[in-house]
């Protein structure tokens, strides 16, 4: 079947299309309706059907593939490697589920997971899925304030964490940050379950903190049946950044997500049961949820969970993993490839990479140089794919297993089945033609697997994402907040965000969150944070600060910069730390007081600052230029 036919069926008759795809997973009770679209923009998929993500990822395979590797946990930080078969994975997940139940966790309860890339993090996610608890994984790179705001929003009954992570051989203690976060948060979890890796000392809080190893022993022979969930119950919440300082809890369902992942694993990722999938992301991001944990396991593949840097002990480490575990499909981000590109090329050539069939890259724009370099070095197709935390699986790419359409350099590809992608002229609200820049929007209903709502805030979901209607059908349209352009062949090109979200090394960050953190420094009067182009990381955060009391000596500025960086490290984590802090006397604003971030960003990148008819004081732009020069 051509991809065009496959795609058109998904658009013309979504119910028939997705009914067919739904056969890819196990249902305990069949659904009575494929799509309930009676309350747009809220879509319900596979209504009345009951299923379970843990069953489909683990239990389902134990009968036929019980001894096959399921989880390969590798840490070059602690020099450990352990493979769990599907049977062993099931045992561990059941033990973790039993611990959770003994701590009072039940269906619909939230469990916050703040963990390094260790096997227990995966057990915890799957254990939640098994008992119908809603997990919320918070990226281990976030610090106390970021963590506290997520604790307050999700209100978890249990937090699962560890003594520490490790990065580049340096121990990153988690427990202290977590204790601080719980102190800062209004909501207090009843229990904290802690994995002691022996990396950092931990002070256990009596009555609240529980040791994982000790409780695992208590539940070594536990039996915890799968809890069958209605397809539209929530499976997880994953916080992501937006325009305001308050992160959005993207909420996902059970059945739609399982079907979407199973379909994508076949159609897009050509995953075959028995193969090995190696996704280098982190479980704290959506790519980790979909393509480290759930997707590969649902497809009956072994999945590699890797803790460590791509260049330690040397830049051959990933390729040695590919050789050793016969990795068939690999998924990474452009920044990581740019890091590898700086390393001696022979390290790549040392290993037998014949098992590898394709490399998928996502999370940020893929530049042509990086794409061509890695494609030549590996000798396999490089498949760019564009999507978001909100979508859960690719929106634009090439579905190689449906039709091996050519990739175009610089383009992630064409709209995937189920996604009615359009480009909207921001000023007129009209749909754009070919080669005309517009906002990438998707006509509702969104396909299975996409976000259901913002956790606890349906209003915010509607008001944030669904502010436009299709001029063709009048239906609500979802905004991706990305600029895009489509060529004559229907290939899309992504041109950056339309909002105040920045993308640093594939990590999505809100400039508002960073600004709020910097504002808490006692000597900061006003601040603007923008994302500025960077050769290695795609973008970096740059801050412009108006101090309350200015010390214009070099030392004074350096001290303030260092202090601001420390504040951000402590509150958000080093992931949000600005690359540079500039001191200015004035910031460019409109007469109504709105920061002109796009103009600041343009100046930083040596571009024209754009339409300035509404600017309050044009001399502020000169101040930005002077600061950059000085
Ligand atoms: P996240 O929600 O963290 O996955 O970030 C999603 C954002 O990353 C998108 O809205 C885009 O701005 C950017 N992005 C993701 N994948 C790509 C890609 N393949 N090409 C260009 N931008 C991308």
């Amino acid at each position: 079947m051509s991809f065009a036919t496959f795609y058109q069926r998904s658009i013309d008759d979504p119910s028939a299309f997705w009914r067919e795809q739904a056969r890819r997973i196990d249902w305990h009770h069949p659904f009575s309706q494929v799509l309930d679209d009676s309350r747009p923009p809220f879509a319900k998929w596979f209504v009345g059907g009951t299923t379970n993500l843990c069953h489909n990822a683990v239990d389902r395979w134990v009968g036929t593939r019980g001894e096959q590797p399921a989880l390969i946990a590798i840490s070059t930080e602690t020099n450990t490697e352990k493979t769990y078969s599907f049977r062993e994975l099931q045992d561990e997940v059941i033990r973790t589920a039993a611990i959770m139940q003994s701590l009072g966790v039940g269906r619909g309860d939230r469990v916050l997971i703040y963990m390094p890339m260790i096997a227990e993090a995966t057990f915890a996610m799957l254990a939640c899925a098994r008992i119908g608890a809603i997990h919320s994984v918070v990226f281990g790179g976030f610090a106390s304030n970021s963590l506290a705001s997520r604790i307050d929003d999700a209100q978890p009954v249990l937090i699962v964490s560890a003594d520490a992570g490790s990065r580049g051989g340096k121990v990153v203690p988690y427990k202290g940050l977590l204790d601080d976060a719980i102190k800062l948060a209004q909501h207090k979890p009843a229990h904290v379950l802690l994995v002691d890796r022996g990396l950092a000392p931990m002070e256990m809080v009596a009555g609240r903190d529980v040791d994982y190893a000790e409780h695992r022993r208590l539940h070594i022979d536990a039996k915890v049946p799968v809890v069958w969930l209605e397809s539209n119950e929530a499976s997880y919440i994953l916080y992501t950044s937006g325009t305001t300082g308050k992160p959005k809890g993207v909420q996902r369902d059970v059945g739609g997500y399982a079907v979407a992942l199973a379909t994508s694993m076949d159609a897009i990722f050509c995953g075959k049961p028995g193969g090995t999938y190696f996704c280098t992301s982190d479980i704290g991001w959506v790519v980790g949820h979909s393509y480290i944990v759930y997707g590969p396991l649902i497809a009956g593949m072994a999945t590699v969970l890797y803790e460590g840097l791509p260049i330690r002990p040397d830049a051959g480490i990933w390729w040695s993993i590919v050789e050793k575990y016969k990795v068939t499909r690999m998924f990474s981000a452009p920044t990581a490839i740019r890091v590898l590109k700086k390393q001696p090329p022979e390290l790549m050539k040392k290993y037998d990479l014949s098992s590898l069939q394709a490399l998928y890259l996502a999370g940020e724009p893929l530049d042509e140089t990086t794409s061509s370099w890695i494609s030549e070095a590996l000798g396999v197709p490089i498949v760019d794919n564009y999507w978001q935390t909100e979508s859960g699986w690719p929106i634009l790419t090439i579905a190689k297993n449906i039709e091996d359409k050519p990739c175009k350099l610089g383009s992630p590809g064409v709209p995937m089945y189920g996604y009615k992608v359009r480009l909207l002229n921001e000023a007129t609200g009209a749909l754009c033609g070919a080669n005309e820049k517009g906002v990438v929007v998707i006509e509702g209903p969104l396909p299975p697997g996409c976000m259901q709502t913002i956790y606890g805030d349906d209003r915010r979901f509607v008001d944030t994402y669904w502010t436009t209607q299709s001029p063709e059908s009048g239906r609500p349209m979802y905004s991706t907040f990305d600029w895009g352009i489509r060529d004559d062949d229907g290939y899309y090109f992504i041109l950056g965000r339309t909002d105040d979200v920045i993308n640093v090394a594939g990590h999505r960050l809100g400039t508002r969150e960073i600004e709020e953190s910097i504002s808490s420094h006692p000597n900061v009067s006003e601040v603007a944070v923008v994302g500025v182009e960077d050769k290695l990381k795609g973008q970096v955060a740059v801050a412009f600060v108006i101090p309350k009391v200015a010390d214009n000596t070099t030392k004074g500025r350096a001290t303030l910069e260092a202090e601001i960086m420390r504040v951000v490290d402590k509150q958000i984590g080093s992931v949000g730390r600005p690359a540079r802090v500039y001191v200015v006397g004035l910031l460019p604003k409109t007469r109504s007081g709105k920061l002109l971030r796009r103009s600041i960003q343009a100046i930083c990148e040596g571009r024209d600052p754009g339409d300035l008819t509404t600017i309050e004081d044009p001399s502020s732009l000169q101040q930005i230029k002077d600061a950059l020069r000085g």
Side-chain angles (χ1 to χ4, degrees):
M1 192 192 301
S2 73
F3 180 74
T5 310
F6 188 72
Y7 175 80
Q8 209 49 49
R9 277 201 61 222
S10 78
I11 299 300
D12 294 345
D13 193 351
S15 289
F17 180 88
W18 289 108
R19 182 187 300 282
E20 232 165 75
Q21 307 310 324
R23 288 193 205 123
R24 297 176 184 274
I25 67 155
D26 280 358
W27 294 89
H28 181 65
H29 182 81
F31 47 87
S32 53
Q33 192 183 0
V34 179
L35 167 65
D36 174 359
D37 189 26
S38 58
R39 200 168 67 95
F42 300 93
K44 287 183 167 182
W45 287 97
F46 310 115
V47 182
T50 61
T51 184
N52 183 288
L53 278 165
C54 178
H55 167 85
N56 277 288
V58 185
D59 299 52
R60 180 189 183 199
W61 300 114
V62 170
T64 48
R65 303 182 171 273
E67 309 321 315
Q68 182 195 297
L71 178 68
I72 302 165
I74 303 170
S75 172
T76 49
E77 298 291 337
T78 55
N79 290 318
T80 49
E81 250 177 69
K82 183 159 180 179
T83 298
Y84 299 84
S85 65
F86 274 100
R87 189 181 309 283
E88 288 165 330
L89 179 60
Q90 185 188 42
D91 289 343
E92 293 301 340
V93 169
I94 288 178
R95 287 165 193 151
T96 310
I99 301 174
M100 288 183 178
Q101 285 183 333
S102 75
L103 297 173
V105 179
R107 185 176 187 159
D109 287 340
R110 275 81 53 220
V111 173
L112 190 140
I113 299 174
Y114 179 61
M115 291 185 95
M117 291 283 285
I118 54 176
E120 289 83 354
T122 310
F123 305 156
M125 290 169 76
L126 291 163
C128 287
R130 185 171 197 89
I131 61 175
I134 301 168
H135 61 67
S136 182
V137 183
V138 176
F139 176 55
F142 283 124
S144 302
N145 288 50
S146 301
L147 192 49
S149 65
R150 286 153 175 81
I151 293 173
D152 275 335
D153 195 78
Q155 310 231 331
V157 294
L158 172 71
I159 296 183
V160 189
S161 191
D163 57 338
S166 178
R167 197 170 160 74
K170 206 173 138 233
V171 171
V172 185
Y174 278 31
K175 176 66 162 69
L177 288 178
L178 177 61
D179 285 342
D180 287 349
I182 295 174
K183 264 188 218 125
L184 283 171
Q186 303 277 314
H187 172 84
K188 310 291 174 196
H191 291 288
V192 177
L193 178 62
L194 289 149
V195 177
D196 189 355
R197 307 175 74 192
L199 294 179
M202 278 200 288
E203 257 180 54
M204 301 295 266
V205 176
R208 186 196 75 182
D209 293 355
V210 172
D211 181 74
Y212 177 84
E214 200 182 303
H215 279 69
R216 179 181 173 275
R217 275 194 296 277
L218 296 177
H219 296 281
I220 203 88
D221 297 317
K223 301 224 174 343
V224 179
V226 156
V227 174
W228 299 107
L229 303 168
E230 202 275 336
S231 176
N232 292 279
E233 285 183 56
S235 60
Y236 70 74
I237 307 165
L238 181 55
Y239 287 91
T240 190
S241 302
T243 314
T244 67
K246 188 174 185 275
K248 295 176 286 199
V250 166
Q251 180 186 312
R252 200 152 266 130
D253 69 356
V254 177
Y257 188 49
V259 171
L261 289 183
T263 310
S264 71
M265 282 306 298
D266 179 30
I268 300 172
F269 297 103
C270 315
K272 300 267 174 295
T276 303
Y277 202 88
F278 178 17
C279 172
T280 68
S281 180
D282 189 283
I283 48 152
W285 305 113
V286 69
V287 176
H289 282 62
S290 293
Y291 299 112
I292 295 177
V293 181
Y294 291 112
L297 295 175
I298 286 174
M301 298 178 82
T303 186
V304 177
L305 182 80
Y306 175 71
E307 180 187 48
L309 301 180
I311 52 167
R312 196 173 169 272
D314 63 44
I317 179 63
W318 283 1
W319 316 114
S320 76
I321 293 173
V322 170
E323 178 185 277
K324 182 167 177 188
Y325 294 100
K326 302 209 170 14
V327 171
T328 49
R329 305 274 155 183
M330 201 168 158
F331 192 135
S332 192
T335 293
I337 305 302
R338 287 192 289 265
V339 168
L340 291 176
K341 192 161 160 269
K342 293 181 149 189
Q343 303 290 320
E346 53 284 3
L347 286 167
M348 232 167 146
K349 306 256 179 300
K350 251 173 75 179
Y351 300 96
D352 174 7
L353 305 182
S354 55
S355 61
L356 189 66
Q357 289 155 4
L359 171 67
Y360 299 84
L361 295 174
E364 54 180 320
L366 173 62
D367 57 288
E368 301 187 11
T369 328
T370 305
S371 174
S372 306
W373 176 79
I374 190 70
S375 155
E376 214 159 279
L378 292 177
V380 299
I382 306 302
V383 188
D384 189 358
N385 54 116
Y386 159 86
W387 47 296
Q388 314 179 296
T389 306
E390 289 85 345
S391 71
W393 61 281
I395 299 169
L396 300 170
T397 186
I398 301 295
K400 289 275 180 193
N401 213 24
I402 305 297
E403 183 188 341
D404 196 6
K405 275 166 79 90
C407 295
K408 281 195 191 188
L409 280 178
S411 163
V414 299
M416 282 299 96
Y417 46 90
Y419 289 106
K420 239 175 162 176
V421 181
R422 300 283 183 267
L423 291 168
L424 203 67
N425 182 308
E426 200 191 29
T428 65
L431 295 181
C432 300
N435 305 306
E436 197 189 327
K437 178 178 166 179
V439 181
V440 180
V441 295
I442 303 164
E443 190 180 311
L446 294 175
C450 292
M451 77 187 292
Q452 297 180 290
T453 186
I454 291 177
Y455 177 70
D457 203 344
D458 284 353
R459 187 76 262 151
R460 190 174 176 205
F461 172 63
V462 176
D463 292 349
T464 305
Y465 295 104
W466 299 91
T467 54
T468 53
Q469 268 98 41
S470 162
E472 290 170 325
S473 65
R475 293 195 59 92
M477 291 199 296
Y478 164 89
S479 177
T480 62
F481 296 99
D482 278 303
W483 294 111
I485 195 162
R486 182 179 65 240
D487 72 6
D488 293 318
D489 302 325
Y491 283 67
Y492 282 70
F493 295 78
I494 298 296
L495 308 171
R497 296 280 304 193
T498 65
D499 58 4
D500 297 324
V501 165
I502 62 172
N503 193 316
V504 180
H507 300 334
R508 174 167 161 184
L509 300 165
T511 49
R512 274 302 308 154
E513 282 166 81
I514 306 174
E515 284 171 359
E516 280 179 16
S517 171
I518 293 176
S519 297
S520 73
H521 184 284
N523 194 25
V524 170
S525 160
E526 282 185 60
V527 55
V529 171
V530 295
V532 176
E533 207 173 298
D534 180 83
K535 277 205 166 56
L536 185 68
K537 298 181 173 179
Q539 278 188 318
V540 290
V542 172
F544 293 88
V545 167
I546 305 179
K548 284 183 185 152
V549 182
D551 174 352
N552 280 323
T553 61
T554 313
K555 186 162 169 257
R557 285 168 187 250
T559 308
L560 182 61
E561 178 172 39
E563 283 174 10
I564 284 175
M565 291 193 178
R566 264 203 300 280
V567 167
V568 177
D569 277 2
K570 184 157 185 293
Q571 298 188 354
I572 297 182
S574 56
V575 57
R577 184 199 301 156
R580 286 176 295 280
V581 178
Y582 295 103
V583 174
V584 289
L586 201 60
L587 285 167
K589 285 188 194 157
T590 61
R591 271 171 232 126
S592 57
K594 206 168 161 264
L595 265 174
L596 287 163
R597 290 197 191 78
R598 280 192 212 175
S599 302
I600 303 176
Q601 182 191 39
I603 294 173
C604 292
E605 293 178 351
R607 290 182 285 113
D608 180 57
D611 178 14
L612 295 170
T613 44
T614 59
I615 194 164
E616 164 92 338
D617 182 346
S619 76
S620 56
L621 296 177
Q622 193 54 44
Q623 293 225 9
I624 300 284
K625 286 181 195 161
D626 291 346
L628 291 169
R629 238 183 263 128

